[in-house]
Amino acid sequence: MQGNDVKIKLNCDMGESFGIWKMGLDEQIMPHIDMANLACGFHASDAVTMNKSVVLAKKHNVTIGAHPAYQDLVGFGRRTIVCSLEEIKSIILYQLGALSAFCKAHGTAVSYVKPHGALYNDMMRDENIFKAILNAISSFDKNIKLMILSSSKNEAYEYTAKIYSVNLIYEVFADRNYNDDGSLVSRMHENAVIHDELEVVSRIVNLKEKGFLYSLNGQKLFLKADTICVHGDNEKALDFIKLLRKALY
């Protein structure tokens, strides 16, 4: 059970514009969140967007996380690309290094990694991919944490992460429906994303006060929550975040 004194931080996937194409409401959302997961160029973003995103996050004292993905701009990183474990480690290092360069230029640093889309889902399903990502982070900077989907298997993930001396951050999604096994409902289904503001808020308040969420079929899912994610590409993301801040803080 979370307890009322536990500070649950809000995180948002951001910096996902690409060239002249704009995605999300970054300038409006950034002042209201605690953690920003910044795209690193493989599923979205570009050099200028990454630079601007780091500056914006620093301006609002928001903790910066790298949001690496499969190299899939066309599919927005939501399609699995079969990679060797060496390739997984390399694409994480490549993107983490790129974002870290912008952070260093502005006197800040990457604090955590949160894989994006299909890579995030594959990491939670495949222990070898999970290990490859841990390996990449550990070889770069052991102070950088890894954000994962909170589930009933947290202890197993934590045991593996300790082998690589990497600490974990447990994430729960405010605006996504869950299956009975604690996995996210696939975006292939229309009910994957929750659009009702009151439903989103009531779910998270229930999580904070009672320690569980309801799955799509009404099962209680007891989840540790260090942070709550609201997607920046959700058209109601700003409204959700403002309501959640009031409810949680």
Side-chain angles (χ1 to χ4, degrees):
M1 194 169 293
Q2 296 295 320
N4 293 321
D5 58 339
V6 175
K7 170 74 179 294
I8 301 177
K9 296 181 178 180
L10 289 175
N11 80 77
C12 190
D13 302 342
M14 307 185 79
E16 293 180 325
S17 295
F18 181 74
I20 64 172
W21 288 275
K22 299 302 177 185
M23 171 77 79
L25 304 169
D26 290 10
E27 291 189 0
Q28 297 176 51
I29 289 173
M30 194 70 81
H32 303 285
I33 63 173
D34 304 296
M35 309 168 78
N37 319 314
L38 301 184
C40 302
F42 271 33
H43 77 282
S45 196
D46 53 69
V48 172
T49 299
M50 289 171 71
N51 191 57
K52 288 181 177 179
S53 298
V54 168
V55 171
L56 186 63
K58 183 180 179 182
K59 175 183 176 182
H60 294 287
N61 297 312
V62 173
T63 301
I64 294 172
H67 202 36
Y70 289 122
Q71 197 163 15
D72 181 25
L73 282 171
V74 173
F76 198 65
R78 288 180 177 158
R79 303 179 294 188
T80 291
I81 297 177
V82 178
C83 295
S84 69
L85 298 181
E86 181 183 5
E87 287 173 321
I88 294 290
K89 180 179 178 181
S90 297
I91 65 174
I92 295 294
L93 281 172
Y94 188 97
Q95 295 172 83
L96 179 54
L99 185 62
S100 293
F102 290 110
C103 288
K104 184 175 181 180
H106 295 291
T108 184
V110 175
S111 295
Y112 64 94
V113 169
K114 175 190 171 180
H116 166 83
L119 183 56
Y120 183 96
N121 293 332
D122 291 347
M123 170 186 73
M124 298 306 300
R125 282 195 296 260
D126 189 324
E127 185 180 19
N128 288 324
I129 292 177
F130 179 59
K131 288 179 176 178
I133 293 172
L134 287 169
N135 191 359
I137 295 170
S138 180
S139 66
F140 185 81
D141 185 347
K142 290 181 174 61
N143 292 314
I144 293 177
K145 299 178 181 180
L146 175 61
M147 187 180 293
I148 71 169
L149 181 67
S150 185
S151 71
S152 61
K153 302 176 183 178
N154 287 347
E155 287 187 8
Y157 287 107
E158 193 160 335
Y159 176 82
T160 302
K162 284 182 178 179
I163 297 172
Y164 295 88
S165 301
V166 173
N167 291 318
L168 300 178
I169 300 170
Y170 296 104
E171 174 180 48
V172 173
F173 287 81
D175 54 359
R176 291 291 300 276
N177 271 314
Y178 281 76
N179 296 307
D180 291 349
D181 63 356
S183 63
L184 297 176
V185 173
S186 169
R187 284 182 177 268
M188 299 283 287
H189 301 290
E190 291 184 2
N191 56 2
V193 179
I194 301 169
H195 298 284
D196 184 86
E197 299 170 11
L198 294 180
E199 184 180 353
V200 171
V201 173
S202 65
R203 281 163 56 86
I204 299 309
V205 170
N206 194 70
L207 177 69
K208 179 173 173 57
E209 294 180 350
K210 299 178 182 178
F212 67 84
L213 288 178
Y214 286 105
S215 73
L216 198 56
N217 295 322
Q219 296 291 322
K220 290 182 180 179
L221 301 174
F222 289 89
L223 302 171
K224 178 180 180 181
D226 296 318
T227 182
I228 303 295
C229 177
V230 175
H231 289 89
D233 58 337
N234 187 320
E235 61 184 11
K236 294 187 176 181
L238 183 59
D239 293 334
F240 285 173
I241 288 169
K242 286 181 177 180
L243 286 171
L244 284 171
R245 285 197 75 88
K246 289 180 181 179
L248 293 176
Y249 305 158

